[in-house]
């Protein structure tokens, strides 16, 4: 294709028709791609149709990158790629109500003057965590950075080598420490750290002792580390703060759902930890947030740190978290979406699977009911999987193509392949989505 043959922007836009994207965005993409073609034109030959096809594919990719709901059939309850915890109806009502009105975010209705931001939420979280006080920042990483900067800027953070972990993408404990201006003081070995190791490392320049919950992996075999109580006693004797990064933030007993026990904030604090940090949008089932709970003096000091202001949450997050905390405090946690999903009875899942399989009769595929091993995910309970029921599909078309079509569906449906079948775990599919699942499976299987 010569320079002269490269189509004009206007003509291309006309030919593309409605792409479902805002026009200025499409124009910008077309301009960019045509400009790139002009550079290449001298060296290569490109068909006009190929230009249009390439543009369509670029625009389709861009369109698919818009944040949109997906149906999660992976059985991973808190999936970081899927926005972690989905919110339940009560939190959504709150979002609509608070988001669409003025509110008393920083206004004291009793005194008629400026008031504390999210004062109720802080009290509620403190009670939920069995803590003297609590506060909230943007996420658990921010909570950790705030704590580290405030208590250990330019000083040493004593941490076991077994806890220098990477949690998910781009979150490595040593890097977070460094970014906070703290110095890493590793103690012990990967699989074994003793109280003596901690004791020897504590000195004049110690800012704090950090314990990190090994949330996304499990170490077995010859493994030893001191009890939280022992480290807490040592920290107290040496007068250094003892912080535990719990990560996942269960506030209720996870064994109730057939999972292994996940340490709760209240437990850690009872064992003598001074502050805990955990995520709002993992097992807790709230919006993205980082909760800090523990000693009132430390929490108050953190809130006075100028850096706190840069990490504060907005009204929507705070109000959705407030509703989530209230549900737990009122014993209505079954309405927290993550808990609703975890608590769904196996018989119910099986009944739904039967309905789906029956509804697929006549489609060019083989459908059957299978078993799933769902996981909490999101860096929680590495060993724990829960019982679940799957719909297993063997389509006549290649499995990869089938999965690709389901991802291209609106809304996209995402599952996993195992032993030649495409599986959808119904525990993470919301019951009202079952009809959509049936329709999308039929569409995707078509020959
Ligand atoms: C998930 C996790 C974090 C990071 O939490 P975010 O809310 O994603 O910032 C930190 N520490 C632990 C132990 C975690 O599991």
């Amino acid at each position: 294709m010569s320079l002269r043959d490269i189509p004009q922007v206007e003509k291309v836009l006309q030919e593309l028709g409605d792409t479902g994207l805002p026009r200025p965005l499409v124009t910008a993409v077309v301009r960019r791609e045509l400009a790139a073609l002009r550079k290449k034109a001298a060296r290569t030959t490109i068909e006009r149709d190929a230009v249009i096809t390439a543009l369509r594919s670029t625009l389709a990719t861009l369109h698919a990158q818009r944040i949109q709901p997906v149906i999660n059939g992976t059985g991973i309850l808190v999936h970081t790629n899927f926005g972690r915890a989905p919110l339940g109806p009560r939190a959504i009502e709150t979002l609509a109500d608070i988001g669409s009105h003025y509110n008393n975010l920083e206004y004291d209705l009793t005194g008629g003057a400026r008031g504390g931001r999210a004062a109720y939420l802080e009290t509620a979280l403190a009670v939920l965590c069995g803590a003297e006080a609590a506060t909230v920042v943007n996420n658990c990483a921010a909570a950790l950075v705030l704590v580290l900067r405030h208590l250990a800027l330019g000083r040493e953070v004593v941490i076991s080598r077994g806890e220098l972990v990477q949690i998910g993408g781009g979150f490595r404990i040593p890097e977070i420490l460094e970014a906070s201006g703290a110095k890493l003081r590793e103690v012990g070995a990967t699989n074994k750290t003793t109280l003596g190791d901690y004791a020897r490392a504590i000195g004049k320049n110690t800012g704090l002792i950090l314990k990190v919950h090994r949330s996304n992996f499990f170490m077995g075999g010859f493994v030893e580390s001191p009890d939280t109580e022992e480290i807490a006693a040592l920290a107290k004797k040496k007068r250094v703060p003892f912080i535990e990064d719990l990560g996942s933030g269960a506030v209720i007993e996870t064994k109730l759902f057939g999972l292994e026990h996940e340490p709760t904030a209240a437990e850690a604090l009872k064992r003598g930890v001074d502050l805990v940090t955990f995520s709002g949008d993992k097992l807790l089932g709230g919006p993205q947030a980082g909760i800090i709970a523990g000693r009132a003096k430390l929490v108050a000091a953190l809130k006075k740190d100028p850096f706190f202001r840069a990490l504060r949450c907005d009204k929507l997050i705070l109000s959705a978290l407030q509703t989530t905390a209230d549900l737990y405090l009122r014993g209505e946690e079954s309405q927290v979406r993550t808990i609703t999903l975890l608590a769904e009875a196996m018989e119910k899942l099986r009944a739904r699977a039967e309905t789906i399989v029956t509804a697929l009769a006549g489609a060019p595929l083989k459908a059957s009911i299978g078993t799933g091993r769902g996981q909490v995910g999101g860096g929680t309970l590495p060993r724990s999987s829960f019982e679940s029921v799957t719909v297993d599909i063997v389509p006549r078309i290649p499995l990869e193509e089938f999965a690709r079509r389901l991802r291209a569906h609106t809304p996209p449906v995402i599952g996993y392949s195992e032993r030649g079948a495409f599986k959808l775990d119904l525990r993470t599919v919301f019951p009202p989505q079952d009809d959509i699942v049936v329709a999308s499976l039929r569409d995707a299987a078509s020959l």
Side-chain angles (χ1 to χ4, degrees), residues 144-345:
L144 208 52
V145 170
L146 176 67
V147 169
L148 290 166
R149 273 182 62 95
H150 187 79
L151 295 171
L153 189 66
R155 309 181 71 190
E156 287 180 355
V157 171
V158 178
I159 180 170
S160 160
R161 284 199 172 84
E163 293 167 13
L164 293 174
V165 296
Q166 164 150 1
I167 298 142
F171 185 99
R172 281 191 176 147
I173 291 290
E175 286 168 8
I176 290 279
L177 268 160
E178 204 171 303
S180 313
K183 287 181 201 139
L184 180 63
R185 179 70 193 259
E186 307 166 46
V187 298
T190 304
N191 62 335
K192 189 169 173 175
T193 304
T194 64
L195 194 64
D197 292 328
Y198 279 99
R200 278 188 296 280
I202 296 173
K204 267 209 256 107
N205 203 26
T206 305
L208 58 90
I209 302 175
L210 180 64
K211 189 172 154 72
V212 178
H213 183 50
R214 282 186 206 123
S215 54
N216 60 348
F217 72 105
F218 164 73
M219 264 197 323
F222 182 58
V223 177
E224 187 184 314
S225 54
D227 291 336
T228 301
E229 286 91 340
E230 292 177 282
I231 306 174
L234 174 71
K236 200 168 172 195
K237 196 173 109 202
K238 303 270 191 177
R239 293 169 183 267
V240 293
F242 178 26
I243 315 298
E244 180 161 10
D245 176 24
L246 291 171
S248 121
V251 292
I252 54 173
E253 177 51 70
T254 46
K255 278 187 181 164
L256 290 172
F257 310 107
L259 300 168
E260 76 177 286
H261 176 71
E262 173 85 16
T264 65
E267 261 168 30
L269 293 170
K270 214 187 212 160
R271 289 189 182 139
V273 172
D274 294 309
L275 283 178
V276 292
T277 56
F278 61 95
S279 297
D281 57 351
K282 289 187 181 169
L283 206 47
L284 187 71
Q288 179 187 302
I291 297 156
I292 305 170
R295 297 222 178 280
K297 239 174 133 174
L298 289 174
V299 172
L302 289 173
K303 287 177 65 182
K304 284 206 194 90
D305 190 308
F307 198 57
F308 179 75
R309 172 65 179 78
L311 305 175
R312 77 177 190 191
C313 302
D314 104 303
K315 59 183 181 286
L316 295 178
I317 299 293
L318 294 170
S319 55
L321 192 57
Q322 171 180 286
T323 299
T324 308
D326 274 353
L327 287 174
Y328 281 105
L329 289 169
R330 291 182 199 278
E332 295 171 7
E333 64 271 1
S334 65
Q335 296 197 47
V336 173
R337 181 79 80 183
T338 45
I339 306 295
T340 313
L341 297 173
L342 269 178
E344 181 86 320

